[in-house]
Amino acid sequence: EKLNWLAKSGKSDSLSEIISQLPNDQFWSKWKKWQIKYDLIKRSDTLDCEKIENETKNTLDMFWHKSYIICLILSGENKKAAFKSDLLRHTGEKDENFFTLIDSLLNRKKNVKVDLENTSLFHLALMDAAHIEIPLSALQKLPQSMTQATKYFRYLDTEAQLFASYKRYSMNLN
């Protein structure tokens, strides 16, 4: 109940503090996934890559496999990340934005184009990491629970910056 209230009120930082204390079991998996996305946006050192790697051994859920590829890049294991990304692509995963942005981060593609009609939270975090400006149309797709987290994006276009700042201000979020 409290988690849902914090999510609806956009209080990302407080929500993260509580979620980080929850046990790692299936009941809380929705919130644990939210935490990973939040940590990616925040560029947090607390991203639990060991837990993410363990999840990839027990599930076919693409969320965990994509998260693991990002962890590999963050830890400088680019060859392993490239291999895992290629493997994931060949399994039939259709997330072209994800693969395009991963290729950009691995310096396998330059001047990438992202399908802004189909962006997810993952994509926005990767766009920011790849220094690709995030437009307002993409930022507006963020869930309410990530409102406060918008302050961590570095590469928002002018309209997106104004929108995010005003929304945080109007919701009394710092």
Side-chain angles (χ1 to χ4, degrees), residues 20-135:
S20 66
Q21 298 172 33
L22 295 174
N24 288 326
D25 61 38
Q26 191 61 33
F27 184 78
W28 301 109
S29 67
K30 167 190 160 192
W31 293 108
K32 292 298 186 172
K33 287 179 179 181
W34 182 94
Q35 181 69 47
I36 289 167
K37 293 173 188 175
Y38 171 83
D39 287 343
L40 285 172
I41 289 173
K42 193 175 175 184
R43 293 175 308 284
S44 175
D45 293 336
T46 61
L47 187 63
D48 193 347
C49 289
E50 187 175 320
K51 179 197 179 331
I52 292 169
E53 182 179 13
N54 288 336
E55 287 290 334
T56 64
K57 295 173 184 173
N58 300 318
T59 185
L60 295 175
D61 184 341
M62 290 298 126
F63 172 85
W64 296 107
H65 292 275
K66 291 176 183 179
S67 298
Y68 184 55
I69 291 167
I70 295 167
C71 279
L72 290 170
I73 292 171
L74 293 174
S75 65
E77 297 182 65
N78 289 358
K79 287 182 182 178
K80 194 171 179 181
F83 174 75
K84 294 280 187 184
S85 175
D86 292 342
L87 193 62
L88 191 63
R89 185 183 309 228
H90 291 298
T91 65
E93 177 63 19
K94 301 285 185 218
D95 189 347
E96 282 308 309
N97 277 344
F98 176 80
F99 294 118
T100 297
L101 291 163
I102 291 296
D103 286 345
S104 174
L105 289 169
L106 293 171
N107 294 316
R108 299 197 300 186
K109 276 189 182 175
K110 296 195 185 319
N111 302 321
V112 298
K113 299 257 189 263
V114 176
D115 178 3
L116 296 174
E117 296 299 315
N118 294 304
T119 55
S120 70
L121 204 60
F122 255 145
H123 302 142
L124 297 183
L126 291 171
M127 287 171 71
D128 201 55
H131 303 190
I132 298 170
E133 209 168 52
I134 300 168

